[in-house]
Amino acid sequence: MMRELPAPPLADELSELIKKKLAEAQTAGGTRETVTVDWNEQKAHVDVIDLPLSKLYFNPSTHRIRAQRSHDAAKDVELDQNPWSEESQTYLRFLLQASPTDTNLRDVEFDALKDSLEEFGQNDPGLVTHQGIVVNGNTRAAALKLLGVQSMRVGVLPESFTWADINAVELSLQLRRDHRRDYSYVNRIIAMEEQAALGRTPEQIAKEFRIQVRTYHQERWILATIRELIKRSQDARGGGLRLVDWEGAQERLKELQRLYVKLETLDRDQADILKELRLAAILLNFSKTDVRHINEDFLKEGLEQKLLSAGPAIEDRSETKPTGVMIPGLGVEVPPASSAVAEMKALNDRLLRAAAVVRSRSEADLGNEAKEQAQSILDDAQKTFDEAIEAAGRSARLRKRKQLAPARLAEACASIDQCVSDLVQARTSRSLDEEAFDDAVIKLRGSLLKLAKQASRGLQDPGDGVAWLMDAVATEGRQ
């Protein structure tokens, strides 16, 4: 979470340089370059100066790489403890260039920015504190350093600004509609969490992020779920999944939240089982269309039992026995979750821990054998889920075919009802083309005859609707 950071080394020296350059800019005459900063619903115009890139510091608190910091646990700890060290600043520079969804890869958007800076130069100034910490333009600073540029144009924030002010300014600049490079999904919802920690209301946060209040609550639910999964994935050594592991799952997580909220009030156990199943499928990187097959019909067909029987074995069945929770002071025990929910959670916990082992960067601590065993668990689960989802897809396609004919007939009824209204209006205005209408009715008769012929096949006891249709056709045949 956001905290006050100590001043960087040589902060006083750099502050003096900044004050000197600001004074020179203010007394030089002519048109001064300024940049507008939105801060606490106010606008401040700050002067722009040129500063050596070698003296500027990347911002350890920037929201742009908040989730990606967990890429390397040891370096993340060093970044927390010594944010201005060469090792920490080098790590920040690496993260600013990395892909948000896979930090082992270079971000294509970063390369596009670098190419643009190389061709056109720096168009917009960055923003720094009086101590030389980059508030806005961290990625640009990394790109300029890579290009060998020696200096950067920056606006300078007032010397009185606190870290809370700095983070608020960065957020307001990032959320401008014309900003070229958005925060990654997880970084964005972390920023919402930090704003809530500062005491801002959901309505205020939703307004700032230009979303609806219900979307804000959805994002907070998703972040809480991700943090819960990370905790469940941890082993005795404390290793587990990372925030960055859930980048790219935005749409699947949002669809999960909508399904869970819809079912929670109707059947909490069903909602929890589907939540665990979908989270496991997301963890196994199934597509959005595949994950959608895990729904109420998936449970009706008993496909979750197939996953439990064929999935990774639960090491200790006693872990899955649900227990109630005693409320302190009241002596009241809250009923436990059902055994089905407990077993599904236990299955998912094994998958989470296996995924954490596979994605761990520490070969020395885990060893190849542990990773191979964990990968085997994930491969088996992938195969089992694939079979269950394929079966659910076949059932969904069959249900759709069963429902297609009635749906078509319902659409035809709606068209005929509209035709009645159009016929009345045409006759009132004496604009009806009677010959064309008669031809259309003859075509309708032919269509009804074909429909009756197919509907009557193989029916020993037809319903009222089909019986009427057969009688109408029989009457037509007698005339």
Side-chain angles (χ1 to χ4, degrees), residues 17 65 165 170 175 187 202 246 287 395 419:
L17 173 63
I65 47 85
D165 297 328
E170 185 207 3
L175 295 177
N187 287 328
W246 301 95
S287 68
S395 298
C419 177

Side-chain angles (χ1 to χ4, degrees), residues 125-128 134-138 140 152 154 170 173-174 179:
L127 205 61
V128 300
V134 181
V135 176
N136 182 51
N138 280 275
R140 269 175 288 169
M152 180 178 180
V154 290
E170 185 207 3
L173 287 168
Q174 174 59 43
H179 206 281

Side-chain angles (χ1 to χ4, degrees), residues 304-345:
E304 82 284 2
Q305 294 302 321
K306 179 179 180 180
L307 296 175
L308 284 171
S309 61
I314 300 170
E315 295 168 331
D316 185 359
R317 286 280 171 181
S318 63
E319 294 179 1
T320 69
K321 294 180 181 178
T323 57
V325 178
M326 189 68 69
I327 300 178
L330 296 180
V332 177
E333 186 177 12
V334 178
S338 70
S339 59
V341 174
E343 286 193 354
M344 197 59 66
K345 282 189 173 181

Side-chain angles (χ1 to χ4, degrees), residues 273-281 294 299 304 307 344 385:
I273 290 172
L274 285 174
K275 176 184 175 183
E276 293 298 325
L277 286 170
R278 284 204 172 192
L279 287 171
I294 302 176
L299 300 185
E304 82 284 2
L307 296 175
M344 197 59 66
F385 266 80

